[in-house]
Amino acid sequence: MPAVQLRAALHSGELSAREVTEHYLARIEESNPRLGAFITVTGPRAMAEAAAADALFARRRPDQPLPPLHGMPVAFKDLTDVAGVITTHGSAALDRRPAPADGALAAALRGAGAISLGKTQVPEFGLTAYSENRIAPPSRNPYALSRSSGGSSGGSAAAVAAGLVPFAPGTDGGGSIRIPAAACGLLGLKPGRGVIPAGESSGDPAGLVVAGPLARSAADAALLLDVMAPADAATDSAGSADGVGYLNAVSRAPAPLRIGVSLDSPWGGIFPFTPDPEALDALNAGIRLLTGAGHDVVEAEIRYDNRYPDAFTTAWTAGVGAARIAPHREALLTPLTRTFRRRAQQRSAAKLNECLAFLRQFERDTLAQYSAWDLILTPALAQTPRPVGWFSGSGHGDGRWPSPEWAGDADGDYRRQCEFAPWSSMVNVCGLPAVSIPVHWTGGRPGAGLPMGIQLIGRPGSEALLLQVAAQLGF
């Protein structure tokens, strides 16, 4: 059932919160052992919250509105604090202590009536484009269990795609919503910087990370975004605030747009890559859909400064260098985390500040180039979803991947990730909104083969417009 329809059934009393929660917990119990989407399932707690939601429904006055997400099940990736539940950060090197309070994201959704079913699988500290770690089974792709669901919101994406929750919040610092959305055939929206209050984070000096929705449709994403973002944040297709909310805005068709299509990437200089044919098939499908909807899709040539990879990597890994890890537990970190942690600790503050200054200039230069178009179109991923274990050499996959010499090679791991998703991180650096839309399936029809998507990058404040375009294309 679509999330919008499920909310209507809960608000009308057609379904009780307990019925809905029991249904999804049963699905998790059946599917999670092979899917690996959840690290922690909080069933008894969820049922208690559902009972409280039903009691609220029973005693409210006829004119008293219910919370906007009354009784709606969600799950939080295991980088987000939920009061009383352990936050593992996907790491075996951290102590296991329950969070003393909800983080900003959990507080917003739970305050709106949502019921948390548990914590979903993530890579260690959210660092990678695949959701595998040393504390729980890897998160797998519902459409091919030998394949990865992406990362870092990979467990959440797998859960939504497999129907274990109707939608889920994710976080995105370099593609961590859009990558798993593309891998799992979902719509994933990364809002622009500052749209969603996220609390302070000393581990994100470049302001890369923002929360956003993972959903099966633009309307479902809009429903979740209306709770995650302030009520007056939605904008109309002209980019001006209208105050009606994202869910109302998404039903309106956008005006014809000028869309620049590009395969240029800031990673192309240091990591030359060739997109898979399936990535180009998805791009061409997106061009046909957008053109058919009345938009003008033209080729765009974007030039990126070749100093970008070093500067982004420095900013992206700064936080892991400051993580509080006891020296005797450092050996429990994955090879990639351990390598980037050591480099971050050896890097001077002056070097970090130099990189942050460069990224601010990169943002200004890139925004100036993008301003020639209403939206920028790229493939969502350069390759089909990779086998589990393929990036790290951990051998969790189908027995053929990867070659043994890959194991433990942090730099090779990181290079493979950058070649897999070369069009995502610069959007975070620029603070822009972007959406991943599943427009192509390798088997020729939705649900057949593997999903492949496109990415649309918008101007500041264009979150509603991106959702309108996705809905216009049938998503």
Side-chain angles (χ1 to χ4, degrees):
M1 183 182 291
V4 171
Q5 185 180 342
L6 179 61
R7 183 183 72 155
L10 283 161
H11 276 241
S12 69
E14 177 186 347
L15 290 173
S16 71
R18 278 175 287 195
E19 288 175 314
V20 171
T21 302
E22 285 176 346
H23 167 80
Y24 283 104
L25 286 174
R27 289 189 62 82
I28 294 168
E29 184 178 12
E30 176 186 5
S31 299
N32 196 61
R34 64 178 181 274
L35 197 62
F38 280 80
I39 292 178
T40 303
V41 180
T42 53
R45 174 176 172 154
M47 288 304 301
E49 292 179 3
D54 288 338
L56 173 64
F57 183 92
R59 69 173 183 267
R60 86 191 201 290
R61 300 187 310 271
D63 61 342
Q64 182 181 359
L66 288 165
L69 296 184
H70 166 77
M72 292 289 289
V74 296
F76 294 98
K77 62 190 289 189
D78 209 5
L79 305 177
T80 300
D81 282 349
V82 175
V85 182
I86 292 170
T87 305
T88 70
H89 294 277
S91 180
L94 297 179
D95 293 332
R96 303 295 179 86
R97 295 194 182 97
D102 283 339
L105 182 58
L109 269 61
R110 282 156 52 81
I115 295 171
S116 174
L117 304 188
K119 308 293 285 294
T120 57
Q121 177 64 297
V122 293
E124 190 167 51
F125 298 114
L127 282 174
T128 65
Y130 57 93
S131 296
E132 303 165 29
N133 57 42
R134 291 182 166 181
I135 66 168
S139 177
R140 298 179 179 273
N141 197 307
Y143 295 100
L145 292 177
S146 67
R147 304 282 177 136
S148 170
S149 62
S152 65
S153 305
S156 294
V160 175
L164 309 189
V165 286
F167 51 22
T171 56
D172 189 317
S176 291
I177 289 172
R178 292 158 289 152
I179 292 168
C184 293
L186 300 174
L187 186 145
L189 177 71
K190 185 204 88 68
R193 186 181 294 130
V195 170
I196 295 177
E200 297 297 323
S201 174
S202 60
D204 182 22
L208 300 172
V209 180
V210 64
L214 287 153
R216 292 192 292 271
S217 71
D220 286 357
L223 172 61
L224 188 54
L225 190 61
D226 269 330
V227 172
M228 299 173 75
D232 62 351
T235 57
D236 63 21
S237 58
S240 59
D242 59 18
V244 299
Y246 293 102
L247 184 56
N248 287 332
V250 80
S251 63
R252 301 197 304 272
L257 302 168
R258 189 165 188 267
I259 300 173
V261 58
S262 176
L263 291 174
D264 297 316
S265 165
W267 296 96
I270 188 172
F271 297 148
F273 65 94
T274 300
D276 281 358
E278 295 88 348
L280 299 179
D281 289 342
L283 182 64
N284 289 328
I287 292 171
R288 289 193 299 271
L289 288 169
L290 290 163
T291 302
H295 303 296
D296 183 21
V297 183
V298 296
E299 185 175 347
E301 183 177 345
I302 311 294
R303 296 187 180 277
Y304 297 107
D305 194 309
N306 60 15
R307 293 172 292 174
Y308 173 89
D310 178 65
F312 173 80
T313 304
T314 295
W316 176 239
T317 59
V320 73
R324 299 178 65 179
I325 299 171
H328 69 278
R329 305 192 75 167
E330 295 262 352
L332 298 175
L333 295 170
T334 63
L336 182 139
T337 303
R338 195 160 57 246
T339 297
F340 282 119
R341 175 174 169 82
R342 183 181 67 252
R343 292 175 184 172
Q345 291 174 334
Q346 293 171 346
R347 193 177 293 124
S348 69
K351 171 64 174 176
L352 175 59
N353 289 334
E354 176 186 323
C355 290
L356 294 176
F358 167 81
L359 292 178
R360 289 191 290 270
Q361 184 61 51
F362 177 92
E363 176 183 349
R364 291 189 290 270
D365 293 344
T366 303
L367 289 176
Q369 294 187 78
Y370 285 2
S371 66
W373 300 276
D374 296 310
L375 302 175
I376 297 293
L377 168 66
T378 74
L381 299 172
Q383 301 166 354
T384 57
R386 299 289 82 191
V388 173
W390 186 84
F391 293 101
S392 65
S394 57
H396 289 305
D398 58 10
R400 295 178 297 150
W401 298 97
S403 301
E405 63 269 16
W406 289 8
D409 176 11
D411 290 319
D413 181 337
Y414 188 62
R415 174 174 183 148
R416 285 185 283 277
Q417 293 179 62
C418 297
E419 293 172 343
F420 174 61
W423 299 290
S424 56
S425 64
M426 78 277 192
V427 184
N428 300 77
V429 169
C430 294
L432 295 173
V435 65
S436 175
I437 308 172
V439 298
H440 177 70
W441 292 80
T442 61
R445 57 184 174 81
L450 294 167
M452 295 295 291
I454 56 170
Q455 174 181 238
L456 288 170
I457 307 167
R459 294 175 174 175
S462 64
E463 288 81 6
L465 174 61
L466 291 170
L467 291 173
Q468 288 173 343
V469 173
Q472 184 184 45
L473 301 186
F475 300 95

